């Protein structure tokens, strides 16, 4: 891997609107595994410097997505590339550690989904927002149990479509609505289940814009609101909330009108007080 | 006007997604004025029967829009076409009464907007949802006073675009967002101002889907939520809530996936407890 190839990978992660934070974090680890093995370094010290630069660059690419930062930080700490390691060994240690973390993250998502599925009864109606691979895994586990899913469009790029298509393939009965109808349909849900891009130390949830509205409506209608994500998404106590990424106004497909500013913030923050329980690979933590 | 022409008018009112309840109610009155003058009736009794049928048909066309029902009912009651009136006189009485009500409704909207504008200070940021001709009139009154407006897209057909364009023409600084970003931007608003399609006797507000979410977010963030509409939109105590109209799923522009039901309810109901004040042509009624 040379710098041009790396920059291409960075651009793809930056522009990815299809995958959630966990999937992109694992993709970043895969990029680092490849870089560890193939970067044109002459010594372990040079490799270390390169890998640190690449990891920091990747971690800054999607600031709202904490697992990227957390997993890359964890990778760097646990790889511990001593200067006296042989270059070939150092390459293999760093690559293997990245691959091990990918597997750990994948297992965490699976276990998290299993915990979430146990919170739900067969035949219940679940409502979600945006496209979370963890929520998708929960839906996969609930196949054939008479469950129904309410899926929101999730503007501007409508990730809800991909989710609805997947649920259709799996024969899970699905209701597809605009984001504006969230308040109308939350009354039909037995539970709301969303993923997260980040969870703040106090339990507040950074997720696709609209999640806060769904949480407000769920609370107002007495429907439990579950957040379901691997623990790499949690931020440490001393960390500030992440920057809320803003994407191109062009994604809203409106003309340019003089004096009209089109805003396209991708994430909002749902306060912890609106969350009924946080579900991770370690289990279910109900709100106090 | 013959029956074919009348059915054409009905279809246009039914399919109209551009105009609000007040404007459509006035359009229905204009149709009845035309019908009063030109329906092929041979006697006043025949004219009465025709007009009653037409009025009832029009009133049922947009069940979520109470002013249509209210204004048409009021028109019928006040026209009082006695059987012993000459046909030509009866035609003129009915037509003139419809035109008088159009003028009353238009004046009510103007006065309502003037009351609303007085609730706002120069330089404030107002947030709204969907396209209300009353809110538009408020914005017109606030031109050149340094006010700013936050406009939501309002899916599926994005009436917010028409509002943003109008505000651009008037040089009112505007922020345009997706409905999903309502919770992110309500924090920037000094007040939320929405119109209504109907107001229930207890003060609950039937308006474009998403209004309830905006009201929840405004309450959660401590932003006042004003409903601003002529009093013909209020329903009487004994009346049930109106039917919430559902439009074609095709408006969401998604493919047909087996097992996926696309829903397109146009209106939601915001409970009175989330409303800070109701503003009509008679003044401002603050929440108790």
């Amino acid at each position: 891997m040379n710098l041009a190839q790396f920059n291409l990978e960075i651009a793809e992660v930056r522009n990815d609107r299809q995958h959630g934070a966990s999937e992109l974090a694992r993709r970043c680890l895969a990029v680092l595994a490849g870089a560890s093995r193939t970067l044109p370094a002459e010594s372990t010290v040079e490799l270390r410097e390169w890998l640190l630069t690449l990891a920091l660059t990747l971690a800054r690419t999607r600031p709202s997505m904490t697992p990227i930062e957390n997993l890359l930080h964890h990778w760097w700490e646990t790889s511990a590339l001593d200067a006296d390691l042989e270059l070939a060994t150092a390459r293999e240690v760093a690559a293997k550690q990245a691959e091990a973390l990918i597997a750990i993250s994948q297992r965490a998502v699976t276990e998290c989904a299993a915990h979430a599925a146990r919170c739900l009864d067969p035949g219940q109606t679940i409502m979600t927002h945006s496209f979370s691979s963890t929520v998708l895994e929960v839906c996969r586990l609930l196949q054939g149990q008479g469950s129904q899913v309410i899926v929101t469009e999730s503007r501007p790029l409508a990730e809800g479509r991909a989710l609805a298509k997947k649920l259709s393939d799996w024969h899970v009965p699905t209701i597809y609505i605009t984001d504006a109808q969230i308040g109308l349909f939350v009354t039909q849900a037995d539970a709301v289940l969303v993923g997260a891009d980040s969870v703040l130390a106090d339990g507040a949830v950074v997720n696709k814009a609209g999640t806060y509205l769904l949480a407000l409506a769920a609370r107002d209608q007495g429907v439990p609101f579950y957040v379901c994500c691997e623990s790499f998404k949690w931020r440490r106590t001393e960390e500030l909330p992440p920057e809320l990424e803003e994407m191109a106004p062009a994604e809203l497909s409106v003309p340019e009108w003089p004096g009209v500013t089109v805003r396209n913030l991708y994430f909002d923050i749902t306060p912890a007080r609106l969350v009924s329980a946080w579900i991770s690979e370690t289990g279910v933590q109900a709100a106090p």
Side-chain angles (χ1 to χ4, degrees), chain A:
Chain A
M1 179 177 289
N2 57 33
L3 202 61
Q5 287 164 326
F6 182 77
N7 284 335
L8 204 69
E9 296 275 3
I10 286 268
E12 284 190 17
V13 170
R14 181 177 293 121
N15 297 322
D16 192 310
R17 301 285 179 278
Q18 288 307 106
H19 298 98
S22 287
E23 289 169 291
L24 286 179
R26 290 195 293 273
R27 175 159 185 186
C28 290
L29 285 169
V31 169
L32 289 171
S36 301
R37 290 205 174 92
T38 60
L39 272 176
E42 301 286 327
S43 69
T44 298
V45 170
E46 199 190 337
L47 179 73
R48 266 183 66 127
E49 278 170 18
W50 263 109
L51 288 178
L52 181 59
T53 307
L54 299 192
L56 289 172
T57 310
L58 276 166
R60 277 193 293 261
T61 307
R62 300 300 297 267
S64 303
M65 297 178 165
T66 297
I68 299 184
E69 194 181 324
N70 279 353
L71 277 164
L72 268 45
H73 181 84
H74 195 67
W75 168 76
W76 184 252
E77 294 287 310
T78 51
S79 295
L81 300 182
D82 279 347
D84 51 4
L85 270 182
E86 264 191 51
L87 178 59
T89 312
R91 287 188 186 278
E92 217 36 41
V93 164
K96 285 267 167 63
Q97 185 55 19
E99 285 157 0
L101 281 176
I102 291 172
I104 288 172
S105 162
Q106 259 162 345
R107 202 163 51 238
V109 168
T110 311
E111 286 167 6
C112 175
H115 285 299
R118 279 193 289 271
C119 292
L120 304 162
D121 292 326
Q124 285 195 323
T125 297
I126 303 150
M127 184 160 177
T128 190
H129 180 61
S130 185
F131 186 124
S132 151
S133 53
T134 317
V135 172
L136 184 70
E137 175 63 13
V138 178
C139 295
R140 199 185 62 76
L141 295 173
L142 294 174
Q143 270 179 95
Q145 297 188 21
S147 301
Q148 183 178 229
V149 183
I150 302 171
V151 171
T152 56
E153 181 171 55
S154 195
R155 281 275 289 161
L157 296 189
E159 297 90 73
R161 292 186 190 193
L163 181 56
K165 180 165 184 328
K166 202 85 183 172
L167 293 170
S168 170
D169 292 344
W170 289 347
H171 309 289
V172 176
T174 299
I175 293 175
Y176 180 92
I177 59 169
T178 55
D179 303 322
Q181 290 176 90
I182 281 175
L184 284 156
F185 281 87
V186 77
T187 58
Q188 298 187 17
D190 297 296
V192 172
L193 195 62
V194 296
D197 291 89
S198 302
V199 184
L200 309 191
D202 74 347
V205 180
V206 179
N207 197 43
K208 186 74 195 285
T211 303
Y212 168 48
L213 300 173
L214 177 52
L216 283 170
R219 174 58 51 97
D220 199 52
Q221 300 292 334
V223 178
F225 182 88
Y226 299 129
V227 177
C228 160
C229 66
E230 51 167 330
S231 55
F232 280 115
K233 289 188 170 167
W234 283 74
R235 291 174 84 80
R236 293 181 299 277
T237 314
E238 66 279 12
E239 285 178 303
L240 293 171
E243 175 197 330
L244 299 181
E245 295 172 28
E246 181 151 15
M247 305 302 180
E251 290 185 355
L252 271 72
S253 307
V254 288
E256 282 188 28
W257 300 289
V260 177
T261 309
V262 176
R263 299 296 304 271
N264 187 19
L265 282 163
Y266 252 50
F267 303 98
D268 62 21
I269 300 183
T270 300
R273 63 184 151 82
L274 298 175
V275 178
S276 309
W278 295 262
I279 305 170
S280 76
E281 71 276 16
T282 63
V284 179
Q285 185 194 334

